[in-house]
Amino acid sequence: MVGSKKPWKAWLYLSPAIVLLLIFTVWPIINTVRMAFLEGYNALAVAGGKKFEFGFANFVNVIEYRDFVTCLKNTVLLCVLTVPISTFLALVISVCLNAIKPFRRMLQTIFFLPYVTNSIAIGMVFAAMFNMVGRNIGGKNELILTAGIINNVIEFFGGQAINWINKGSSEVANMTVMVIYIVWNALPFKILVLLGGLQSVNKQYYDAAKVDGTSRLRTFTRITVPLLSPMITYVVITGFIGGFKEYSSIVGIFGEKMGPTSNPYRLDTMVGFIYRDLANQQGRASAAALILFGIIFVVTMLNLYISKKNTHY
Amino acid sequence: MTDQKNFAVFEADIQKAQARQRVVRIAVQVFLYLFLIIMALIVIFPFYFMLISSVKDLAEYRLPVQTLWPNKIILHNYIEAFHTANLGTLFSNTLYVGIVSTILSLIITVITAFVFARLEFKGKNAMFAALLATMMIPGELFTITNYQTISNFLGLRTLGRELGSKDLIALGDWKNTFTVLIVPFLVSVFYIYLLRQNFLQIPNELYLAAKVDGTSDIKYLWKVMIPLALPTLISITILKMMGAWNSYMWPRLVANDEAHRLITNGLRTAFTSVEGDVNIPVQMAAVAIVSAPLFLVFVFLRKYIMKGVSRSGIKG
């Protein structure tokens, strides 16, 4: 019971953190819930002395709003596509890295490289790789000077150049670019965690499997994956949380208009929706933020529940 | 006779099996390396593309089939990028915000973590649990209200307008200041948690001994706990600096003027157009300049980043 004679001292030390948390964390939680349940809440009108009714109109408004459905669809699609792909790839790469000796550190460093990058800046690099340079692309009198390095590669293997991100590009092409970029971005963290997990796995299990003559595939599915399941759960959960908050990687590639020039906001996400409403439609933005929180919460709990059922030891 | 013969056959079988095993093992290793090298090349290709494109002249970049090594290396793109994006100002703004917020944040984090690790008071555990619970909430939920808060801090702007006081209005309106980029993010629950766990590993007896000797809390913190927790503090410093470097949405929202713009926002604002006929070599040069400090941090301080990162799952 050290220091119990002077409890005020503890509170004194805590005061800077408490004051800042009250203003920038606790109040926002209360206020967001409040604004979400005041129908059509708008800070400008409040300043003009307007009063708002309590109700669920904001939520109804958000869900019925067509743009929100697009945002929700994009966000869920990106999550469902990128989380399994990146987790699987990271798992395979980690297992391979764990099975080699020379050059392991060097390869490990390379795989970690994308982590310390700026998602807007490198998004611009990806955009450049997929971008066609020329005049009137996607329109009449199209003149393509260079179709971009990725299309060069496709053409090299005998394929046809694809309009990935320019005017008139298809939604599938846009999504493909986003999935590639997000997976590329998500790999390093997942590899770091999974490789760390692999290195702490007891070697005895593998020796036993070897004695029994278990095949490599079986060893992988029956030993490696179950033993790694806590780490896999962890990267899947953080992956879903990150995925539901996807925003800046899309801004990196497509800019603030969140889509090709011909279809602005085609790739808008939940967070993008919240940011667009933030300055003048606080009620709707708050409702959307609460929905986002709800989704993240449910998905996290679901993941935890499933992993608990599937953890064998 | 037959036994000996059988034995010879048996031995030959074993040798054959061993040879086969060796071949399989080598084949597997070759396959592993092949796969890893291909993946590694894919992972670093964007960086390579950025670098080679940044030193090409526009005519070469526009060749129908892109060159994998520039025919002529020109560095002029870097100068042009530096002027176009006004990178000098962006650099100094970001450094200023990064350094000030890191120092203040470290002080608050250390003190708060110390209280939660060493002092006893009523409601401590409940309060710590409440702190941790806030980590689950997406930051966007805070942003909506924080945007209102900083536009009219504690209602001071409204009050100032009523009283006709310009000073009060200035106190209440934080938009386009460095304060707005620093203050709202000074307390990070995650860093407090990280440091508290670290502090808890230091035996309590040391603290009791120091108390008996009459050492003050602050002196004990400074002389014993901080040196022991230095690796964690370095991790926090790096992650915080990287956070300032990479933050985009909040700075864009609240400090989008020339004098306070941060680097990521500045980069995106300077090169709004990404598609069609744009001068990509200059863009790539700008991206390379912005990425360079991150690479330096990566090369020299990788250990600390990995340490902080593997426990957070938070980017930047």
Side-chain angles (χ1 to χ4, degrees):
Chain A
M1 291 301 275
V2 182
S4 60
K5 280 173 216 151
K6 295 181 196 161
W8 58 269
K9 236 182 173 175
W11 292 104
L12 178 75
Y13 293 153
L14 280 182
S15 56
I18 290 180
V19 169
L20 285 168
L21 280 169
L22 280 178
I23 298 174
F24 294 108
T25 304
V26 177
W27 166 239
I29 296 172
I30 300 167
N31 191 39
T32 305
V33 175
R34 187 181 71 99
M35 291 190 297
F37 287 102
L38 290 175
E39 300 192 331
Y41 187 93
N42 166 344
L44 227 93
V46 172
K50 197 170 174 229
K51 292 270 183 288
F52 294 95
E53 299 268 315
F54 174 87
F56 292 89
N58 288 329
F59 291 91
V60 176
N61 207 338
V62 165
I63 292 164
E64 283 179 347
Y65 195 52
R66 208 175 43 120
D67 284 3
F68 181 78
V69 180
T70 314
C71 294
L72 185 65
K73 189 200 78 192
N74 288 334
T75 313
V76 171
L77 203 61
L78 283 176
C79 268
V80 169
L81 289 171
T82 59
V83 173
I85 295 176
S86 61
T87 308
F88 177 73
L89 261 180
L91 188 62
V92 173
I93 291 173
S94 312
V95 170
C96 290
L97 274 176
N98 200 37
I100 62 165
K101 265 251 157 71
F103 300 111
R104 184 205 277 177
R105 279 191 74 87
M106 200 187 89
L107 285 164
Q108 214 178 319
T109 308
I110 292 175
F111 283 120
F112 191 60
L113 203 55
Y115 189 82
V116 280
T117 52
N118 184 313
S119 58
I120 302 268
I122 301 298
M124 288 165 72
V125 176
F126 270 76
M129 282 164 51
F130 286 96
N131 180 35
M132 290 180 172
V133 174
R135 265 191 311 252
N136 304 325
I137 287 169
K140 268 186 196 162
N141 307 321
E142 184 179 72
L143 172 79
I144 298 171
L145 293 166
T146 174
I149 191 98
I150 299 290
N151 278 330
N152 284 164
V153 172
I154 293 173
E155 282 165 346
F156 178 80
F157 286 107
Q160 276 249 312
I162 294 169
N163 185 349
W164 293 104
I165 59 167
N166 296 78
K167 196 174 150 196
S169 54
S170 72
E171 200 172 349
V172 178
N174 296 166
M175 269 292 173
T176 311
V177 174
M178 283 323 305
V179 168
I180 292 172
Y181 180 42
I182 294 170
V183 167
W184 181 86
N185 228 329
L187 277 181
F189 171 69
K190 293 192 164 78
I191 293 175
L192 183 72
V193 172
L194 293 176
L195 193 63
L198 275 174
Q199 280 162 354
S200 62
V201 163
N202 196 332
K203 293 277 177 294
Q204 284 177 359
Y205 295 108
Y206 290 102
D207 293 339
K210 223 180 225 169
V211 170
D212 288 349
T214 317
S215 75
R216 272 170 191 274
L217 186 70
R218 221 178 138 76
T219 315
F220 178 74
T221 55
R222 291 300 161 94
I223 298 180
T224 309
V225 171
L227 281 175
L228 268 186
S229 55
M231 279 79 187
I232 296 175
T233 311
Y234 180 56
V235 296
V236 167
I237 290 178
T238 49
F240 268 113
I241 293 177
F244 275 108
K245 299 203 283 186
E246 207 59 73
Y247 177 69
S248 59
S249 51
I250 297 159
V251 174
I253 289 187
F254 287 98
E256 292 255 300
K257 61 188 174 355
M258 307 287 275
T261 26
S262 47
N263 305 74
Y265 298 108
R266 185 203 256 167
L267 295 170
D268 205 358
T269 60
M270 305 262 290
V271 171
F273 180 89
I274 296 172
Y275 280 135
R276 264 202 287 162
D277 270 358
L278 182 135
N280 38 36
Q281 286 272 4
Q282 286 90 352
R284 202 165 68 184
S286 302
L290 285 184
I291 293 174
L292 176 67
F293 172 59
I295 294 176
I296 290 178
F297 188 77
V298 168
V299 169
T300 307
M301 288 303 141
L302 218 67
N303 266 318
L304 281 175
Y305 176 73
I306 294 169
S307 72
K308 224 174 215 159
K309 264 181 115 177
N310 289 338
T311 306
H312 294 297
Y313 67 98
Chain B
M1 246 333 242
T2 49
D3 269 5
Q4 243 174 16
K5 202 174 166 189
N6 274 347
F7 189 70
V9 170
F10 188 53
E11 207 169 40
D13 271 357
I14 288 183
Q15 267 171 6
K16 225 185 270 167
Q18 273 177 343
R20 203 179 319 127
Q21 243 181 8
R22 206 175 305 132
V23 170
V24 168
R25 203 184 312 129
I26 290 170
V28 166
Q29 284 284 317
V30 168
F31 175 78
L32 287 180
Y33 275 104
L34 217 64
F35 171 74
L36 286 173
I37 288 168
I38 290 172
M39 289 312 289
L41 286 178
I42 293 174
V43 164
I44 47 171
F45 184 75
F47 299 115
Y48 177 73
F49 175 81
M50 168 185 85
L51 287 178
I52 54 163
S53 303
S54 72
V55 292
K56 283 178 184 175
D57 69 1
L58 193 55
E60 190 186 341
Y61 186 83
R62 284 171 161 174
L63 289 177
V65 175
Q66 303 240 309
T67 43
L68 280 176
W69 184 254
N71 295 329
K72 204 176 83 198
I73 292 180
I74 55 159
L75 295 173
H76 185 258
N77 292 329
Y78 280 84
I79 300 166
E80 203 181 326
F82 203 85
H83 289 303
T84 313
N86 200 4
L87 286 175
T89 315
L90 296 177
F91 260 94
S92 63
N93 285 351
T94 313
L95 268 183
Y96 178 77
V97 168
I99 291 172
V100 173
S101 60
T102 303
I103 293 173
L104 293 177
S105 177
L106 275 178
I107 295 173
I108 293 179
T109 307
V110 166
I111 294 175
T112 314
F114 171 76
V115 172
F116 281 116
R118 280 290 171 266
L119 300 186
E120 290 297 336
F121 59 97
K122 243 190 203 142
K124 179 173 111 169
N125 291 333
M127 205 172 139
F128 195 66
L131 271 190
L132 291 186
T134 62
M135 277 181 24
M136 281 201 329
I137 299 167
E140 288 70 27
L141 200 144
F142 303 128
T143 311
I144 307 166
T145 300
N146 284 344
Y147 181 74
Q148 296 173 349
T149 306
I150 60 95
S151 327
N152 186 7
F153 191 67
L154 302 176
L156 285 176
R157 197 177 72 170
T158 322
L159 191 72
R161 216 179 268 151
E162 273 164 20
L163 298 175
S165 155
K166 274 203 176 123
D167 293 338
L168 274 183
I169 294 177
L171 268 180
D173 187 5
W174 289 12
K175 265 196 207 161
N176 297 329
T177 59
F178 284 127
T179 318
V180 77
L181 297 172
I182 296 169
V183 175
F185 306 105
L186 281 181
V187 183
S188 158
V189 174
F190 173 67
Y191 296 151
I192 293 172
Y193 169 75
L194 207 64
L195 198 62
R196 172 190 176 259
Q197 298 307 96
N198 213 304
F199 281 169
L200 280 179
Q201 288 165 2
I202 302 166
N204 212 7
E205 284 73 18
L206 274 179
Y207 181 61
L208 297 175
K211 279 266 124 177
V212 171
D213 288 349
T215 313
S216 70
D217 281 350
I218 299 293
K219 198 173 168 195
Y220 174 75
L221 193 61
W222 185 249
K223 291 274 176 196
V224 181
M225 290 183 108
I226 288 178
L228 284 173
L230 204 59
T232 308
L233 291 173
I234 295 175
S235 294
I236 294 175
T237 306
I238 298 168
L239 291 178
K240 190 84 190 162
M241 289 297 281
M242 278 171 62
W245 203 261
N246 293 335
S247 65
Y248 172 72
M249 202 52 222
W250 181 254
R252 150 131 194 78
L253 213 59
V254 299
N256 201 17
D257 65 326
E258 199 71 39
H260 302 97
R261 198 174 281 151
L262 296 193
I263 197 139
T264 305
N265 179 22
L267 182 72
R268 186 72 277 183
T269 315
F271 304 100
T272 38
S273 181
V274 278
E275 58 173 316
D277 198 5
V278 286
N279 193 337
I280 285 179
V282 171
Q283 266 193 30
M284 291 304 105
V287 170
I289 297 173
V290 171
S291 304
L294 292 170
F295 280 106
L296 288 180
V297 167
F298 178 75
V299 170
F300 293 109
L301 302 163
R302 193 173 61 242
K303 195 176 77 185
Y304 296 106
I305 306 174
M306 285 174 148
K307 209 178 135 180
V309 162
S310 57
R311 279 182 285 180
S312 72
I314 301 161
K315 181 153 177 152

